[in-house]
Amino acid sequence: MRERLLSGFDPFVLPFMIGMCFVLLYCLVAFVRLMGQLSRKERRRFFRSLFIPKNIARNVRDIFCDCLLHVKLWKRNPRLGYMHSSIAFGWFMIILLGHIETFLFVPHRAGLFYYPIFFRYFMVMEGTELKGSLLFFLMDFFLAVILSGIALAVYKRIHRAFFGMRRTTRLSLIDLIGLYSLWAIFPLRWIAEGFTANVAGGSFMTIPINWLLRSFMSNPENITAAWWAYSIALGTFMCVLPYSRYMHIPAEMILIPMRNAGLKVRAARRGFALVQIKSCPGCGVCIDACPMGLAGKKNSMDASAYLARQIRRNNQKNYRDIADKCLMCGKCKAVCQVQFDSISVRRLIREAVPYKLAHDYSYLSSYVESGAVSAENPVEVLYYAGCMSAQTPVIPRSVQRLLDTANISYKLMDPDGSICCGRPLILAGRSSQARELIRSNTRIIHSSGCKILIVSCPICYRMFREEYKLKGVQVLHYTEYFDMLIKEGRLAVRQGEERIAYHDPCELGRGCGIYNAPRRALSAAGSLVPVPKEKVESICCGGSLGSLTLSYQERSRIAVGSLKNLTANGPDLVVTACPLCLKTLADASDSTPVKDFAQVLCEHT
Amino acid sequence: MIITDFGYCLAPSNAVKVDKTTDWRFEKLCALESDVLKCIGCGSCTAVCSAGHFSQMNLRQCILSLSRGQWEKSVRSLSRCMLCGKCLMVCPRGINTRHLILSICRIYCPGEGGSNA
Amino acid sequence: MINKNIVIVGGGPAGLEAARTLRNAGLTPILLEGSDRLGGHLLEWDSLFPSNQKASEVLESLTADLEGIKWFTNSKVEEISRIKDIYLVRTSSGYTFQANAVLLTTGFSLFNATLKQELGYGIYDRVITNADMERYFATGEHPCIHEPKTIGFVHCVGSRDEKICNRACSKVCCATAIKQACHIKEKFPLAQVYCFYMDLRMFGRGWEDMYYNAQTKYGIRFVRGRVCEVSEGMDATLNIKAEDTLLGKPIRMKMDLLVLMSGIRPRKDTEDIASNLHIELGTDGFYSPRDPFIRTNESSNEGIFLAGTCTGPATLPETFSSARSAAARIIEYLESK
């Protein structure tokens, strides 16, 4: 094998080189700016993590599994997984093999960017070499893999149901240019390499094409034209890359080490959040997952993929609208391929909205000082029903009955109105204002002298777990507590006949990871019916306080859709463990009764 | 309005001159959250209000005052709101009360001079 | 015309009155009632506003003379099909009737108050509905009514409420509440009775007098505010929250008895019947007449007529006149055929 051109250069490589240099320069500038956006502590943490062997191993594994093989996507949707990984991994292998070829045969050209890419144009094959034909075979093999992926990608645009997707990302113009140039790259490479296959060698993909082309297009000018086209496609793709969703390819390389370094999202559009936003490939998994799609077709434009796009475009009105509308159920984050923390980003966007009227909670101190919960006769268990539960009296009543049945001495933290836990404020992006509420509630809880705080509202529960520092007080959701009581034999529950479908409240399930306690306890009272989408996949009831702007009509459409999922297997009743879910689902249901967790247990004691 | 130059006073009218109040703020509020127009004044929001239990917070009265251009005092009472969302649950007209309160907080600023100031 | 058949679906006040009118005109209407007794909601009510006449007396005069009317109880209509100009009405009792005209007098159903969870019906014993109250007046027995000291009537439960998908007013609850409030005050003169209303809609003849009497003679207290949170104290008394909107302050009260004025809702089967017969429904879920002024008794499907509360909330006199006008319209229709 030897070089065909002594100069080792042909003008057709220019489009590619322009694109390549542009991308590299862009990425370099972006990286420097990004580092500037991190705080000194974060920066130190990030760089230090790059040299910890355990982290290096994790980074390599994650980059390999997430970026190239798309393992997470395979698990979720094998067809989609194959489509993405065939292109990503195939391309990676072609570039890698190109470099190996260059290194093996023309080591003095190894420094040139374009040589491995256009290797076949510059080389002439003399005789057959084993390693040469093995490499040729591998090159053709991966080209075939990529082409199959592209074929699937084209088919996906026509018939997305084949991939089990109801909706795919609607692409912007620049994304479309990127997409079409990406699609064009590999067929053009195939043709270009086909033209030179008789000279430079080829394998099962390129040689048949060579025969075909030579039979009617043997004019040597066609050869250069094909290579030009290939190079232009590459150049176009790279030039639009920084402005399209394909920026996710370089961004993910930074995202993974940053994530493994343990960085957190602290600003909506800077630092780590920016890397996450740029890493969103717009794969569309979040669009189908988003409960907003149930509210109406146009509401599916509120999914995280579009949020990332609007932030990339710097369109403040649009991204604020999307951020305000979100239910904050966390499903997009749970299914996201790049673990885009869209919930934090949305919260931080909400925090940036200016308000003229500041909150003032000074009035709470007199309530706290008046001894909201008497410190006399301290008992071990304190029960906080929360604001919402007052609207669903069946919950506090059933909880109290169960506590009485189990002979637990307890006190009520809010028999007559309560101070809000503060989570609604945090969800509305006013977290600094929530501090006052946290302080007041903490004082009330500590002054009661309790050891266990039972909470029946998942919204409060998550708040107590994440934002409160309650030393010496164990916070338990009532599902956990009653599950424990049943397990310890302190609460006897009679097995019934009912077939129960359990709805995971977002804040309890995805928010706090409590899936099994309520199911265990409920299966003591009835038989659980599987729900098509449950646990991590469960669909928000639509009542969530997370959304600021969703109208009541849109919410009820989501509730109807959520209920449809719950009643898919024909349960006798739907059970949930959240006052807001209970109210929303009960309002939406006209056939299957919706009951509370404690209510069901109460009926079986 | 007190005229003092004539050596005697005309007592200011206690009446609210609703026809004299043109309030760009309320129009802006309607654009931001049109639900403000839906209120039938049943008082459910105020009845269940967590903050209203301890303070002067009264959303129904605030909405009414805003629509009459009398917002100075009532807007200040909204600063007590904890955004807990109970009002959202009870409103028979399905008003998005939390967003309404946030929108009011964005537009109105006590001390900026209301028409009744 | 004598040999033309008319089937009336629903044996409540509207159905009975329409049947009587048609019979008096020399026809032989067929009256189908799903339950085991004729009378509809009249059977469940003790007395009627504004005159306090007993519901049973009104019902008696309606059912006194049914000669010439073919009436069937326990006959739920299962299917209505059409062959050319003839309707075939199949019932659960196994009969099929041929009809040249069908009159729907299917009525309404009372709102299921358990759906308003925050008011605690079905959870707290001392929360009852207007229907429970009438039953108590009729029988004099209710397990939870023992010398109540404070009694509250909550208007607009299940009406004027988008949360349960009903924006409409139920028209008759205000008057019913005042009637029941006066009645219970007569029974327990020492009790303090409150009416919690959003807007008091006393538009009918003699209704304002009822209101006047309730204020002056009975001392009923009217609070403009909606009760929307109820909890139970240690001694089973109810703690209620509302806002006195005229006072501009939230109020809290202890109640020994809370009566929810369940509103008028379309029957559950309305939608099925409508799609079966290709009749249009209004946004409120009741049948829509062909036009709202002149042809109020005609549905959008020829040969199907409507009367009574299946076209929306109505008082009893309105129901009767609607039934009679439907009968007149049916006769016109059959003569023109």
Side-chain angles (χ1 to χ4, degrees):
Chain A
M1 189 156 284
R2 63 173 174 80
E3 283 187 276
R4 195 159 65 86
L5 304 172
L6 266 180
S7 64
F9 176 78
D10 191 285
F12 81 80
V13 304
L14 283 176
F16 164 75
M17 282 309 286
I18 291 167
M20 188 73 198
C21 292
F22 175 65
V23 166
L24 286 179
L25 202 67
Y26 184 95
C27 290
L28 188 72
V29 173
F31 183 74
V32 172
R33 280 185 58 186
L34 172 72
M35 287 301 126
Q37 288 172 359
L38 295 182
S39 70
R40 178 176 292 196
K41 217 170 119 194
E42 285 177 321
R43 216 161 31 226
R44 198 180 305 149
R45 190 168 184 173
F46 173 59
F47 283 115
R48 204 173 280 168
S49 83
L50 291 179
F51 298 102
I52 301 170
K54 212 173 111 190
N55 258 3
I56 297 172
R58 259 174 71 189
N59 288 344
V60 171
R61 188 200 64 198
D62 285 357
I63 290 179
F64 208 73
C65 292
D66 290 358
C67 306
L68 298 177
L69 296 180
H70 292 86
V71 173
K72 238 185 128 184
L73 197 55
W74 269 96
K75 281 183 197 158
R76 186 170 178 81
N77 185 339
R79 285 173 188 178
L80 211 54
Y82 176 77
M83 189 194 99
H84 282 268
S85 63
S86 63
I87 300 174
F89 186 63
W91 201 359
F92 170 75
M93 285 310 288
I94 280 187
I95 295 168
L96 184 72
L97 289 168
H99 279 87
I100 291 173
E101 281 178 332
T102 317
F103 195 74
L104 281 178
F105 298 114
V106 276
H108 61 285
R109 302 282 190 203
L112 293 170
F113 278 137
Y114 61 84
Y115 228 77
I117 312 295
F118 305 114
F119 188 71
R120 302 286 180 84
Y121 181 81
F122 295 108
M123 300 306 280
V124 173
M125 193 177 62
E126 297 172 318
T128 44
E129 291 172 70
L130 186 62
K131 71 180 170 189
S133 35
L134 180 67
L135 281 168
F136 286 158
F137 170 75
L138 284 176
M139 284 296 246
D140 272 19
F141 172 73
F142 285 111
L143 185 63
V145 168
I146 298 176
L147 286 171
S148 68
I150 301 265
L152 281 175
V154 176
Y155 189 57
K156 180 175 153 235
R157 290 277 134 196
I158 306 165
H159 186 61
R160 54 181 176 257
F162 176 71
F163 292 86
M165 297 176 89
R166 278 181 294 126
R167 296 189 174 103
T168 55
T169 327
R170 255 196 263 168
L171 297 182
S172 60
L173 180 67
I174 198 125
D175 282 341
L176 277 176
I177 298 173
L179 180 77
Y180 292 141
S181 53
L182 179 66
W183 284 357
I185 289 170
F186 299 98
L188 285 173
R189 181 186 170 113
W190 190 19
I191 294 168
E193 290 194 339
F195 270 118
T196 49
N198 58 334
V199 187
S203 188
F204 67 98
M205 287 285 287
T206 39
I207 287 174
I209 273 286
N210 183 260
W211 291 337
L212 201 68
L213 291 173
R214 253 194 310 171
S215 54
F216 60 94
M217 284 172 75
S218 51
N219 187 345
E221 271 174 26
N222 289 334
I223 299 179
T224 358
W227 284 96
W228 266 101
Y230 172 42
S231 175
I232 288 170
L234 272 171
T236 318
F237 178 71
M238 295 210 196
C239 283
V240 298
L241 181 134
Y243 309 104
S244 68
R245 59 177 182 160
Y246 297 103
M247 188 59 199
H248 81 91
I249 300 168
E252 260 186 281
M253 304 291 150
I254 308 293
L255 172 79
I256 286 167
M258 281 181 120
R259 186 164 68 213
N260 287 340
L263 297 194
K264 292 268 178 309
V265 170
R266 291 192 311 112
R269 294 156 55 221
R270 294 163 62 78
F272 189 36
L274 185 68
V275 182
Q276 293 194 343
I277 288 156
K278 297 264 183 189
S279 296
C280 168
C283 65
V285 170
C286 57
I287 300 173
D288 268 351
C290 184
M292 210 75 90
L294 296 168
K297 209 171 175 188
K298 73 170 199 303
N299 292 68
S300 65
M301 295 294 280
D302 298 317
S304 296
Y306 295 108
L307 176 74
R309 181 193 289 179
Q310 296 300 342
I311 296 177
R312 280 200 296 258
R313 285 189 191 162
N314 224 351
N315 188 332
Q316 195 190 56
K317 191 194 168 295
N318 283 5
Y319 69 66
R320 273 193 179 165
D321 279 355
I322 294 180
D324 280 354
K325 206 178 272 181
C326 174
L327 292 156
M328 308 287 247
C329 74
K331 192 168 173 187
C332 52
K333 189 182 163 193
V335 302
C336 182
Q337 302 306 304
V338 293
Q339 296 171 39
F340 173 27
D341 189 1
S342 48
I343 301 301
S344 300
V345 169
R346 284 181 160 104
R347 190 170 48 74
L348 289 162
I349 291 174
R350 291 175 185 189
E351 252 169 49
V353 174
Y355 288 99
K356 286 184 177 174
L357 186 69
H359 285 284
D360 171 17
Y361 301 122
S362 49
Y363 62 93
L364 290 177
S365 57
S366 60
Y367 170 67
V368 176
E369 269 148 29
S370 70
V373 178
S374 77
E376 290 165 28
N377 318 317
V379 288
E380 204 181 341
V381 175
L382 186 68
Y383 170 48
Y384 179 71
C387 312
M388 298 283 172
S389 300
Q391 286 296 307
T392 52
V394 71
I395 298 181
R397 194 177 157 97
S398 307
V399 169
Q400 290 177 45
R401 283 207 172 154
L402 285 173
L403 290 172
D404 289 337
T405 319
N407 269 328
I408 308 248
S409 57
Y410 64 94
K411 263 188 201 170
L412 301 176
M413 183 170 150
D414 54 348
D416 186 35
S418 58
I419 301 176
C420 171
C421 64
R423 183 144 179 87
L425 273 170
I426 288 190
L427 286 171
R430 313 199 78 179
S431 42
S432 57
Q433 320 245 8
R435 296 286 135 207
E436 186 73 31
L437 308 187
I438 295 175
R439 249 195 312 276
S440 303
N441 274 327
T442 308
R443 277 175 62 194
I444 294 175
I445 293 164
H446 280 314
S447 71
S448 78
C450 68
K451 295 278 178 296
I452 296 175
L453 175 68
I454 306 173
V455 184
S456 55
C457 171
I459 305 167
C460 310
Y461 174 63
R462 185 169 182 190
M463 187 69 188
F464 283 127
R465 263 191 24 167
E466 290 181 357
E467 304 287 334
Y468 283 64
K469 288 182 188 69
L470 296 168
K471 228 181 188 173
V473 180
Q474 193 187 7
V475 182
L476 289 175
H477 190 246
Y478 71 146
T479 55
E480 291 178 289
Y481 188 67
F482 290 130
D483 176 47
M484 192 181 83
L485 290 185
I486 293 170
K487 217 175 352 181
E488 287 172 358
R490 290 160 76 187
L491 185 68
V493 177
R494 192 166 29 80
Q495 184 77 42
E497 299 284 297
E498 288 131 318
R499 300 171 69 245
I500 299 170
Y502 174 70
H503 169 71
D504 287 287
C506 304
E507 297 277 51
L508 189 66
R510 281 185 291 265
C512 300
I514 293 177
Y515 298 111
N516 295 325
R519 288 189 164 77
R520 248 193 324 262
L522 280 176
S523 56
S527 59
L528 279 174
V529 178
V531 173
K533 288 193 173 140
E534 57 182 348
K535 299 192 175 174
V536 181
E537 298 280 329
S538 95
I539 303 172
C540 175
C541 68
S544 167
L545 282 184
S547 175
L548 298 181
T549 53
L550 210 60
S551 72
Y552 179 69
Q553 284 71 21
E554 287 168 310
R555 284 175 187 273
S556 16
R557 283 199 290 272
I558 297 176
V560 169
S562 177
L563 205 65
K564 209 165 154 193
N565 170 53
L566 289 166
T567 51
N569 290 329
D572 297 324
L573 64 145
V574 171
V575 177
T576 184
C578 165
L580 202 49
C581 296
L582 177 68
K583 190 126 170 57
T584 317
L585 292 175
D587 281 353
S589 173
D590 42 283
S591 47
T592 318
V594 181
K595 286 187 179 176
D596 173 65
F597 170 82
Q599 187 187 4
V600 172
L601 291 192
C602 215
E603 285 168 4
H604 288 86
T605 50
Chain B
M1 184 177 43
I2 301 172
I3 305 162
T4 47
D5 285 359
F6 300 99
Y8 61 90
C9 292
L10 279 177
S13 167
N14 185 37
V16 176
K17 296 192 179 67
V18 178
D19 58 334
K20 293 280 189 295
T21 53
T22 47
D23 196 358
W24 59 270
R25 290 182 186 84
F26 191 69
E27 276 159 31
K28 202 170 160 192
L29 180 62
C30 292
L32 210 56
E33 183 51 78
S34 57
D35 277 6
V36 68
L37 301 168
K38 288 188 193 167
C39 181
I40 48 172
C42 68
S44 301
C45 45
T46 311
V48 296
C49 183
S50 298
H53 184 42
F54 311 109
S55 70
Q56 295 292 315
M57 161 103 190
N58 188 329
L59 180 60
R60 177 198 58 78
Q61 206 164 47
C62 183
I63 293 174
L64 189 69
S65 314
L66 295 183
S67 70
R68 304 287 189 270
Q70 308 286 308
W71 50 270
E72 180 70 13
K73 218 165 87 191
S74 53
V75 158
R76 205 182 291 272
S77 81
L78 282 194
S79 67
R80 273 66 163 169
C81 173
M82 300 191 264
L83 288 178
C84 72
K86 275 176 89 177
C87 44
L88 187 78
M89 286 172 92
V90 296
C91 180
R93 273 290 172 95
I95 296 176
N96 190 351
T97 49
R98 290 176 77 231
H99 189 243
L100 178 60
I101 291 168
L102 286 170
S103 304
I104 293 172
C105 291
R106 278 172 71 173
I107 295 170
Y108 292 86
C109 174
E112 223 176 51
S115 49
N116 61 336
Chain C
M1 203 185 75
I2 298 294
N3 49 18
K4 298 250 168 108
N5 274 335
I6 303 156
V7 167
I8 300 171
V9 184
L16 286 166
E17 181 67 6
R20 271 159 29 105
T21 316
L22 288 168
R23 189 261 330 259
N24 294 347
L27 290 153
T28 321
I30 298 160
L31 181 63
L32 304 175
E33 166 59 39
S35 74
D36 56 351
R37 282 174 72 190
L38 291 176
H41 287 282
L42 267 184
L43 291 166
E44 296 159 22
W45 240 243
D46 177 58
S47 64
L48 306 170
F49 66 79
S51 62
N52 281 333
Q53 195 182 353
K54 286 279 169 196
S56 52
E57 290 169 16
V58 176
L59 188 58
E60 249 166 56
S61 65
L62 273 177
T63 52
D65 175 23
L66 292 178
E67 213 179 315
I69 300 169
K70 292 188 205 157
W71 55 275
F72 301 86
T73 50
N74 291 318
S75 302
K76 265 204 184 78
V77 171
E78 300 215 310
E79 201 194 347
I80 303 180
S81 49
R82 182 178 182 170
I83 301 169
K84 283 184 187 165
D85 277 351
I86 302 289
Y87 286 96
L88 296 176
V89 184
R90 190 163 59 79
T91 66
S92 60
S93 49
Y95 295 106
T96 302
F97 298 94
Q98 279 189 15
N100 300 86
V102 175
L103 175 62
L104 297 179
T105 53
T106 47
F108 64 94
S109 65
L110 268 186
F111 173 70
N112 174 6
T114 52
L115 294 177
K116 290 295 306 168
Q117 296 179 47
E118 63 266 37
L119 297 177
Y121 184 65
I123 301 171
Y124 306 129
D125 297 334
R126 295 193 180 185
V127 180
I128 64 172
T129 64
N130 44 1
D132 297 333
M133 198 64 178
E134 289 292 335
R135 212 165 298 135
Y136 167 71
F137 289 144
T139 60
E141 277 171 49
H142 191 281
C144 297
I145 304 179
H146 311 287
E147 296 291 328
K149 286 186 200 71
T150 33
I151 304 163
F153 285 83
V154 185
H155 295 220
C156 303
V157 175
S159 29
R160 302 188 71 197
D161 189 349
E162 309 237 2
K163 292 283 160 74
I164 49 117
C165 303
N166 183 24
R167 190 183 291 162
C169 165
S170 285
K171 212 171 179 181
V172 295
C173 328
C174 282
T176 307
I178 289 177
K179 184 207 78 183
Q180 292 190 349
C182 298
H183 225 93
I184 197 89
K185 180 82 179 178
E186 271 173 2
K187 283 203 186 280
F188 303 107
L190 295 176
Q192 191 54 258
V193 184
Y194 295 89
C195 278
F196 296 91
Y197 67 95
M198 290 209 278
D199 292 299
L200 213 47
R201 298 187 166 175
M202 309 300 290
F203 51 86
R205 190 175 182 194
W207 296 18
E208 197 65 24
D209 297 337
M210 277 170 66
Y211 182 22
Y212 182 83
N213 283 337
Q215 286 177 298
T216 54
K217 192 167 151 200
Y218 294 96
I220 312 284
R221 292 189 184 169
F222 289 88
V223 182
R224 192 191 176 279
R226 185 166 171 260
V227 175
C228 45
E229 198 174 309
V230 180
S231 57
E232 201 179 37
M234 282 304 175
D235 50 351
T237 54
L238 303 164
N239 300 314
I240 62 138
K241 285 189 192 174
E243 190 204 358
D244 190 325
T245 57
L246 299 178
L247 204 61
K249 280 204 183 287
I251 51 173
R252 280 146 188 251
M253 278 186 182
K254 276 197 186 307
M255 289 277 162
D256 295 317
L257 188 67
L258 197 65
V259 190
L260 311 183
M261 306 312 293
S262 276
I264 289 180
R265 301 288 291 133
R267 282 174 60 100
K268 257 197 168 159
D269 50 13
T270 307
E271 226 167 299
D272 295 335
I273 295 177
S275 67
N276 180 207
L277 290 176
H278 309 290
I279 308 177
E280 276 167 32
L281 288 181
T283 48
D284 56 358
F286 290 102
Y287 300 125
S288 277
R290 196 174 285 183
D291 88 44
F293 301 104
I294 306 294
R295 304 162 94 177
T296 49
N297 292 109
E298 287 168 62
S299 74
S300 46
N301 194 356
E302 199 181 75
I304 308 280
F305 295 83
L306 308 166
T309 46
C310 66
T311 56
T315 62
L316 209 47
E318 283 168 353
T319 301
F320 288 140
S321 18
S322 145
R324 286 189 291 269
S325 76
R329 188 70 200 95
I330 289 171
I331 292 166
E332 267 174 42
Y333 169 77
L334 293 180
E335 276 172 349
S336 71
K337 278 276 149 179

